[in-house]
Amino acid sequence: MNTATRIPVLDLSCQLDPLLDDLSAAFGRVLRSCHYILGPEVAAFEGEAAAHLGAAHALGCNSGTDALVLALRALGVGPGDEVITTPFTFFATAEAVSAVGAVPVFVDIDPASLNLDPGGVAAAVTARTRALLPVHLFGRPCDMDALGAEADRHGLPVVEDCAQAFGARHRGRAVGTLGVLGCFSFFPTKNLSGFGDGGLVTAARPELAEAVRMLRAHGARRKYHNETLGYNSRLDELQAALLRVRLPHVEAWNAARVQAARGYGERLAGLPGVLAPEVVEGHVFNQYTIRIRAGNGCPGRDAVQAALAAEGVETMVYYPVPCHRLPVYARSHGKTACPAAEAACGEVLSLPFWPGIPTAVQDRVAEALGRAVRGGRA
Ligand SMILES: *Cc1c(COP(=O)(O)O)cnc(C)c1O
């Protein structure tokens, strides 16, 4: 077996090496400017990101988690309110709802897309529901037609968690512009990534943008005239300058991700127990996540992951536990049942994946996976 070189689950160097000179120049420009917080780089990046996405407004902040908190606060979501979201997501989605004092209400996923099932929304709406918070998981846009129709029927705003989906599109429109607010993360693993933490809120309406602008700066529209309890949540000038170097490349990287996803799809076709993700229009594949079903000789996800690790192929389980089953929500959400999300948590496996992943690497992963799902039998 070929264990010569370890295959990492993510290799960021191809998004770094070709731009190193430009990144260094941007870095030096900010250092010499002596202006490090909310200066011209952040303003320029906000304008460029808004133009790129087709968003009316865009505001930088500290992280994707803060983007969610700021968006919910801008809508006035707080104690006593409920927000409908998916249990199959990174914890930050639910955490943000809890952080503003509201209660996340988990609606099960559609097993084909792994995204919030619009068909489950109506039954979860109560008099306390204040917003819908869908997540474009792994870069796949949610069914925004159906979710938008549900939101309209119940008079609810939609806040999009776009942390994994910068550049994803639904019917040609960028995610983050389909609801009233969109929340992005520039964590290093995301499709548009910075060099540390960073986030962005897109807003459809000026009053929501103003609220986010105020909340990210200690609740002050005018410095030292604080109107409400806010946050210290700004995007650094350094991060903004570096993100401005990467932003013009994100569409090409997303296209390379789609190409790599198609490449895996061809290689994995017919493997027993393996379900590959669909390549739907507008998907930007932040992760390439397959499902592995035990049976017909296939030993199941955990055994397959262990067999791949033994061959030097690193994989990840995003996510092993649905939010409603996390210890933090055991007491409050113990009675919640989301069988499709629970099943997904037992079957998903994210393969080594990045824009420009060499085809030879994909060959090796597919071959190792083929051996693993056959339980070591040829
Ligand atoms: C990464 C992520 C977040 C949080 O973003 P940070 O920048 O890490 O705070 C929120 N939601 C989802 C779905 C994410 O993947």
Side-chain angles (χ1 to χ4, degrees):
M1 275 173 221
N2 183 1
T3 52
T5 48
R6 195 182 68 91
I7 298 178
V9 74
L10 172 63
D11 180 355
L12 290 173
S13 62
C14 58
Q15 287 164 277
L16 180 68
D17 296 340
L19 300 179
L20 212 46
D21 289 344
D22 293 347
L23 291 165
S24 301
F27 195 90
R29 184 172 77 234
V30 175
L31 293 195
R32 284 188 299 274
S33 76
C34 296
H35 194 156
Y36 306 128
I37 299 282
L38 293 185
E41 301 287 348
V42 168
F45 174 68
E46 289 173 343
E48 288 157 11
H52 188 101
L53 297 168
H57 307 273
L59 293 136
C61 64
N62 231 331
S63 68
T65 305
D66 278 9
L68 291 161
V69 169
L70 292 166
L72 293 169
R73 282 284 311 277
L75 285 171
V77 177
D81 295 336
E82 295 175 354
V83 175
I84 292 174
T85 191
T86 168
F88 192 57
T89 178
F90 179 53
F91 173 57
T93 312
E95 187 183 31
V97 175
S98 297
V100 303
V103 175
V105 173
F106 299 111
V107 165
D108 208 357
I109 58 170
D110 157 37
S113 67
L114 301 177
N115 283 331
L116 182 63
D117 180 2
V121 169
V125 173
T126 73
R128 289 187 294 276
T129 309
R130 291 293 308 274
L132 292 189
L133 177 52
V135 179
H136 306 292
L137 196 74
F138 304 144
R140 177 170 174 156
C142 291
D143 181 349
M144 293 304 288
D145 292 341
L147 284 173
E150 285 298 325
D152 289 348
R153 189 167 308 138
H154 301 285
L156 297 169
V158 178
V159 178
E160 300 173 74
D161 183 337
C162 310
Q164 303 184 3
F166 194 103
R169 284 169 191 278
H170 172 81
R171 296 191 188 283
R173 281 173 62 194
V175 302
T177 68
L178 303 157
V180 293
L181 291 150
C183 306
F184 293 86
S185 165
F186 304 125
F187 185 79
T189 61
K190 313 291 182 172
N191 289 42
L192 175 61
S193 64
F195 297 80
D197 280 313
L200 188 82
V201 181
T202 49
R205 301 203 300 262
E207 72 275 15
L208 292 174
E210 266 323 295
V212 171
R213 190 187 300 281
M214 174 171 80
L215 287 164
R216 76 174 173 183
H218 301 286
R221 238 178 290 253
R222 221 176 119 206
K223 227 176 186 182
Y224 312 127
H225 291 74
N226 310 69
E227 297 166 43
T228 185
L229 294 180
Y231 309 86
N232 174 0
S233 185
R234 285 86 60 118
L235 183 66
D236 288 341
E237 282 285 282
L238 263 178
Q239 293 296 346
L242 298 170
L243 284 163
R244 291 181 69 198
V245 175
R246 279 186 162 171
L247 179 62
H249 301 274
V250 72
E251 295 299 324
W253 288 333
N254 283 346
R257 288 174 184 273
V258 172
Q259 194 190 339
R262 290 189 198 285
Y264 265 139
E266 288 161 16
R267 287 167 175 79
L268 305 188
L271 288 187
V274 172
L275 191 65
E278 298 170 298
V279 183
V280 296
E281 187 70 29
H283 195 330
V284 292
F285 286 92
N286 178 245
Q287 300 291 339
Y288 188 82
T289 303
I290 62 172
R291 295 181 70 150
I292 296 175
R293 227 160 258 172
N296 291 328
C298 175
R301 195 267 316 280
D302 292 346
V304 167
Q305 184 178 34
L308 288 170
E311 292 208 43
V313 177
E314 188 186 13
T315 57
M316 296 293 276
V317 175
Y318 301 118
Y319 297 91
V321 183
C323 288
H324 62 289
R325 291 277 181 262
L326 289 170
V328 57
Y329 291 133
R331 207 178 285 255
S332 55
H333 290 72
K335 292 203 177 73
T336 302
C338 294
E342 289 152 27
C345 288
E347 295 179 355
V348 287
L349 190 67
S350 297
L351 301 183
F353 195 76
W354 57 89
I357 182 175
T359 53
V361 170
Q362 293 195 288
D363 288 340
R364 247 193 76 196
V365 173
E367 286 157 18
L369 183 64
R371 285 187 288 275
V373 296
R374 294 186 180 94
R377 290 181 302 280

